[in-house]
Amino acid sequence: MISFLSLTKYPPSIVFALLMLSLNLIILYFFEKTSSFIAAYGRVLLVFGRSALFFYVIHHFIYIAMMIAGLRNLPLSTMWIFWLIGLAIAYPLCIRYSSFKRRQPSESLWRML
């Protein structure tokens, strides 16, 4: 059993690939069984999912700004709070970007980003 947990990400071992595939299938099964729960409470994930590239870019700027403000070398329990604050800052920005993207014509480059 311990040898199964001995995996390498780079270069990817077959054990790593199977572990990641099985975890993804378990998560997919969980989402399938809880689709009514996700439909009711998954709107936050939907907002971040509809503007994924924008969220990816903007979260770097948010957390770099926090680091410049002096929020480094803090305990992990404190960092969770600042991580949630960063998500709370990114959420309305992602909503605005999603509404901007919907207003663009279908052939616009903004619709692809």
Side-chain angles (χ1 to χ4, degrees):
M1 183 66 179
I2 295 296
S3 65
F4 183 75
L5 297 177
S6 175
L7 54 97
T8 58
K9 185 174 181 180
Y10 297 111
S13 65
I14 189 72
V15 175
F16 176 79
L18 290 175
L19 180 65
M20 292 299 114
L21 183 62
S22 63
L23 289 175
N24 285 335
L25 289 175
I26 290 169
I27 291 170
L28 185 62
Y29 175 78
F30 172 74
F31 282 151
E32 181 66 29
K33 291 299 179 186
T34 60
S35 61
S36 60
F37 176 79
I38 291 173
Y41 300 105
R43 292 191 179 114
V44 173
L45 293 177
L46 192 60
V47 166
F48 288 130
R50 286 184 177 162
S51 59
L53 180 61
F54 178 76
F55 172 73
Y56 177 75
V57 171
I58 200 70
H59 95 279
H60 286 291
F61 290 110
I62 291 170
Y63 294 122
I64 287 172
M66 286 183 181
M67 185 184 70
I68 291 172
L71 302 174
R72 46 179 119 164
N73 299 329
L74 296 173
L76 185 60
S77 58
T78 308
M79 289 308 296
W80 281 99
I81 295 168
F82 287 110
W83 173 69
L84 290 172
I85 291 171
L87 287 179
I89 293 170
Y91 183 73
L93 296 174
C94 288
I95 289 175
R96 286 184 184 172
Y97 180 74
S98 292
S99 65
F100 166 76
K101 195 164 76 166
R102 272 181 282 155
R103 289 191 308 262
Q104 302 306 313
S106 61
E107 63 273 355
S108 174
L109 180 64
W110 289 106
R111 296 287 293 254
M112 293 185 350
L113 297 177

